[in-house]
Structure formats: structure tokens, C-alpha cells
Amino acid sequence: MDRSAVDTIRGYCYQFDKSIIEILSLKSDTDSIEVEGIEDVDVIQDNECSAIQCKYYEKSSYNHSVIAKPIRLMLQHFSENRKAAVKYFLYGHYKDGHEKLPASISVEFLKEKFLSYTKDKVQYEEHIALGLSDEDLTFFLEHLKIDIHAKNFDEQSKSVIQKIIELFDCTKEEAVHYYYNSAFSIVAKLACEQRNRVISKSEFINRLDNKKALFNSWMYKYKGRELYLKKLKKDFFYRSLNTQAYDRFFILDASSAASIEDVKECIYTIQYNWTNLSRRNPNPYSPFIYIFNKDQCFLHALKKELYTEGLNFVDGYNYLGSEFCVDTLNQAKRNRDVKFQYIETEKDLIQAVNSTESRTEVYQFYVTNSDLSFDFDEGIKYTKLQVYDFSDIKEIV
């Protein structure tokens, strides 16, 4: 790869790192950023938009001509959107030449150094072309901030990692190997979207948390199976005598299950640990279980064996040929004779999760396909966890 291509990639990485810092620094969870909006990254908070243009020239000196065109483009947007609450930021790193830019920019300096240019031997003056007065330019300068002393690539990267460590209270290794990789991936994907490239702070953080498997996969290899499984059990499946009567859904990837017996053992473990049907408990509860990546013959044989062994369950179908009835499933979770709710299809799963009235927790275990997600309503606690073998699941739950 030639050096210009490498420099271009570093420029994009620099821009994405800046985007990550900006969204993690937002005050409110409802504040947001837009990637590739007015500028490289637009920050929306307190009903105000800050449009940030990133420039990275670690091998080049600063010259007014380098930032002149971006400023003219900002001025064009300002001219068309004068009533909008937009602030413009030009954020850049340069090898040297910083002394050329005065601390305070006057209207005359703006017109001479940034708005006047020659193209095809023709002289242009952007402010005249846009019909802007000196008063307009003064107002524009009040909304423009230029920082040509931005951190270099490595310094900004360290700032991102430090911000992640502080926000998620994690180790440096976790920040680097899990959170940063996930954050970068989210921003890069947003930049490639054709339409909606806006994401709120809460959505951004939730998407990081929903991808815990990326970190867990690394930890499995780094610290070994035993410590990995113990950590997941401690973080997600700690039980006490006062465990709440939530609706808990367990989505099990059975692709690596060697036999029906393996799946049955896992179901028995989940049912035993996450069921309280005691007569003394005024709010009895039992889990919902959905199994995927196994054919229908396997699943029908599994259900037959469970039923024969006396582990009563309800699947939401009232009679042969009936449609799925979510009310039947929800009523069964309070029935002290029903040990768990079996979910037959993905469609049934989504309907069952989205129809719950109490707090709902969904735990999806998968082996290889981390991209498989289900379309649950916003607000559902949805955690995806990677395992390397189906037998790992019963060690966790």
C-alpha cells in the first residue's frame, strides 16, 4: 500500500477517534452525534449543533490554504442556515507552522486569507458571492472556532482509551480489546450508512454493552475457560434468596450440542436455577427457553423426552393446528405446575418478549454468529454472550 493511502486511512481513523471522544463526552444520554453530517462529526446537545471538521497532517506544515476551503464550505452552510443554532469547529493537527494563525481572527483576515482565492486564473471572493456583509462575517466568526493544535494520532488514541476506562470502569486491556474495537466499528458503520447516521449516547453505549461477546471471546482465550465462565456467572447470573420475579428469556445456540442429553441437562439447569414455584412465594415465576440451530426432528424429540420425564412446559399452542397464543404462555409462568415456557419459533420469541408486562431480561448464547440479533422493543435488557461449546452454558447459568 502506498504512503498516501496509509495517510488517508490514518486520517479517517483520526476522525473516528474524535467521534468516539465526542459521543462519550456528551452530558445527557439523549444527546447525540451525526457522523458525516454537516461536517465530519456533528454534536447535538442542549438544542445546539456543533459541526466539527477534522484535519490531520502530521507530515505537513500549517498554511492558511489548507483550511481555507473547509472554512468556505462552513460559510456556505452558515449563509443558508443563519437561523440555525450551529457552531463550527475546525479541529486539526499539523507538523509545524502554527505561528502563522493569529489568536484572534478579524473580518479582514478572514476575507483575505480564507475567503479570497483563485481558480483557473479567475479571482473569487466567497463572501461577495454569498452576498454577506461585514456584519454577517462578524457573526460567523462568533460561531467559528479553529484549533490547529489538536493532539497527534497516538495522543488522541490514548485519550479515547482513557475516556473508555473512566466511563466503563474497566481495565486498559478491556478498553483496548473490547470497548474500543466495538466503538470504532459502530462509528465506521454509521459513516457508511446512506441515510440515518445519527446515534444518541445511550444507544451508543447500549450497542457496546450488547456486544460484550467481543470482549468475552478475547478473555476466554486470554485467561482460560474456567475464569471466563466464572466471570460471566458473577456478572450476569448471580442469584440470591431475594431474586426478583422477572421474565427471563434464555436463547440457546445448540449448534455445538453433541446430543439431546446435552440440551436437556442445560434446560434442567436453567429451570432449576431460575424458577420459584413455591407455595410460599406470592409471585411464582419460571423461565422462557428458545433453542435455535437445531432441526425440527431434534427439537420434537427433545420436547417428547422432557415431557415424558415429567418436566412440564407450555409452548403457547392450545391445540393441534392452533395459532400461537402469547396469553397462554404468559399465564403459564404463574402456574406452579408448569416448570418453564418453551418457545417454538423466532416469531413466537419476539412476540413473547415484546408482550411482557414486568421487567424482562433476555440472554442470548451463541457460538459463532455474533451478528444474529432479534428485533425486541427498546428498553428490553438484551445481553449476548459467546460460548465455545454448548456445555459452557450450564456452567454459567
Side-chain angles (χ1 to χ4, degrees), residues 38-39 70-84 86 88 115 125-133 135-137 139-141 143:
I38 300 172
E39 296 295 343
I71 290 178
R72 292 196 294 271
L73 291 174
M74 289 176 175
L75 186 66
Q76 289 174 15
H77 184 272
F78 166 81
S79 176
E80 297 167 359
N81 302 271
R82 297 191 203 190
K83 293 183 180 180
V86 178
Y88 302 91
L115 305 184
E125 293 179 290
E126 191 69 25
H127 52 292
I128 294 177
L130 295 173
L132 299 176
S133 65
E135 184 179 358
D136 293 328
L137 296 181
F139 188 63
F140 172 68
L141 285 172
H143 290 73

Side-chain angles (χ1 to χ4, degrees), residues 249 287-290 303 307 312-333 335 338 340-345 347-349 351-353 355:
F249 289 77
F288 298 75
I289 299 175
Y290 172 65
K303 291 168 69 177
Y307 188 79
N312 294 336
F313 60 87
V314 170
D315 61 10
Y317 289 84
N318 295 321
Y319 53 88
L320 181 64
S322 72
E323 294 185 354
F324 175 69
C325 181
V326 72
D327 289 338
T328 298
L329 205 67
N330 286 330
Q331 291 168 11
K333 67 190 178 186
N335 187 332
V338 175
F340 75 98
Q341 285 67 242
Y342 180 91
I343 307 293
E344 187 71 39
T345 69
K347 181 180 178 181
D348 296 350
L349 171 69
Q351 187 177 349
V353 171
S355 69

Side-chain angles (χ1 to χ4, degrees), residues 237 246-254 260 262-275 285-294 296 298-299 302-303 306 311-317 324 329-330 332-333 338-350 352-353 356 360-365 374 376 390 393-394 397:
F237 301 102
Y246 299 152
D247 287 331
R248 296 180 179 86
F249 289 77
F250 295 84
I251 304 174
L252 313 179
D253 177 0
I260 287 180
D262 286 345
V263 180
K264 280 168 48 181
E265 286 183 16
C266 185
I267 291 175
Y268 272 107
T269 300
I270 293 172
Q271 185 276 324
Y272 179 81
N273 288 335
W274 299 102
T275 299
Y285 60 87
S286 56
F288 298 75
I289 299 175
Y290 172 65
I291 300 166
F292 67 103
N293 279 343
K294 281 295 183 185
Q296 284 298 312
F298 181 97
L299 296 176
L302 169 67
K303 291 168 69 177
L306 290 172
L311 192 68
N312 294 336
F313 60 87
V314 170
D315 61 10
Y317 289 84
F324 175 69
L329 205 67
N330 286 330
K333 67 190 178 186
V338 175
K339 305 305 181 183
F340 75 98
Q341 285 67 242
Y342 180 91
I343 307 293
E344 187 71 39
T345 69
E346 179 180 331
K347 181 180 178 181
D348 296 350
L349 171 69
I350 294 172
V353 171
T356 58
T360 303
E361 298 179 351
V362 179
Y363 300 97
Q364 177 182 339
F365 295 89
F374 298 92
F376 302 131
F390 187 82
I393 301 175
K394 63 183 175 64
V397 299

